[in-house]
Amino acid sequence: MQSGIGDQVDLQRFGIPVVQHLPGVGQNFQDHVWVGCIWEYRQPLAPRNNGAEATFFWKSDPELDTPNLQTCIAEVPLSSAETAARFNPPAGSWTMAAGVVRPKSRGRIRLTGAGPLDPVQIEAECLSHPDDLEAAIACVGLCREIGNSTALHPFAKREVMPGNLKNAELENFVRDGVTTYWHQTCTAKMGRDAMSVVDGNLRVYGIDNLRIADGSIMPRVTTGNTMAPCVVIGERAGEILRKDHAI
């Protein structure tokens, strides 16, 4: 955008000369988010390896074609600043991170100035779609069911958070607890509609010799972690360049 590629109205607002009007630049922001559910250990255990060695995918609705929830198990307490201040989880705790991985919410990235050191304004809009909030609440319920199960009883002295919250209290807990999985993507999406930024060969529309090869070109964030898809995008970019330039 600071190079003049983006929505012309936004660029002109900061006096940036328009090189190519592409209104989709910075739009379609997506991310995976999670909410921490925490239990205190009966006997504190030192974290092993990376401290988060287990994950699973699940569906909030059995009628869904693919899982829309992912939970990661962490051997330490993880929470947002808001829920940590409210529940004060002890150091000797472990976490089930209740994640939403098929988000319908869409955010955007905006400029705050024309200079390269001016920060971008990230409007993540997490849980802005009601289906995402519903999915997050379902995942918190699933985590509580597993964390309070007989099988995990030897590892759980008590449930620290959220406890048996209902209705508005549970919704507020989820909204306060939202944290990113650091999978921010999709703001320069591949496609053929008016909001697309790159074509099927990763070329930026209207700009010669410019391609994008990272997670921003995905039209929709992948259900799982984004590192492997980004590697595939990079590999595919290399193949395209070798072919185009007979390397």
Side-chain angles (χ1 to χ4, degrees), residues 104-107 124-133 175:
K104 296 181 180 179
S105 302
R106 299 291 184 267
E125 299 290 344
C126 297
L127 303 185
S128 59
H129 195 288
D131 288 356
D132 292 350
L133 177 60
R175 291 191 182 280

Side-chain angles (χ1 to χ4, degrees), residues 80-133:
S80 69
E82 291 82 358
T83 55
R86 176 181 175 185
F87 292 91
N88 192 27
S93 301
W94 54 273
T95 305
M96 298 185 75
V100 177
V101 291
R102 299 278 291 185
K104 296 181 180 179
S105 302
R106 299 291 184 267
R108 65 197 60 81
I109 295 175
R110 300 185 188 274
L111 294 179
T112 63
L117 298 182
D118 292 328
V120 295
Q121 178 176 320
I122 302 173
E123 300 172 5
E125 299 290 344
C126 297
L127 303 185
S128 59
H129 195 288
D131 288 356
D132 292 350
L133 177 60

Side-chain angles (χ1 to χ4, degrees), residues 32-78:
H32 295 151
V33 296
W34 58 270
V35 179
C37 303
I38 297 178
W39 285 261
E40 184 177 4
Y41 281 111
R42 287 187 179 275
Q43 297 293 330
L45 298 175
R48 301 166 299 168
N49 299 327
N50 69 357
E53 300 177 35
T55 187
F56 65 85
F57 292 85
W58 203 251
K59 297 179 181 180
S60 62
D61 182 346
E63 299 299 319
L64 294 173
D65 292 334
T66 60
N68 64 331
L69 310 177
Q70 180 185 9
T71 292
C72 292
I73 315 301
E75 299 171 26
V76 294
L78 297 176

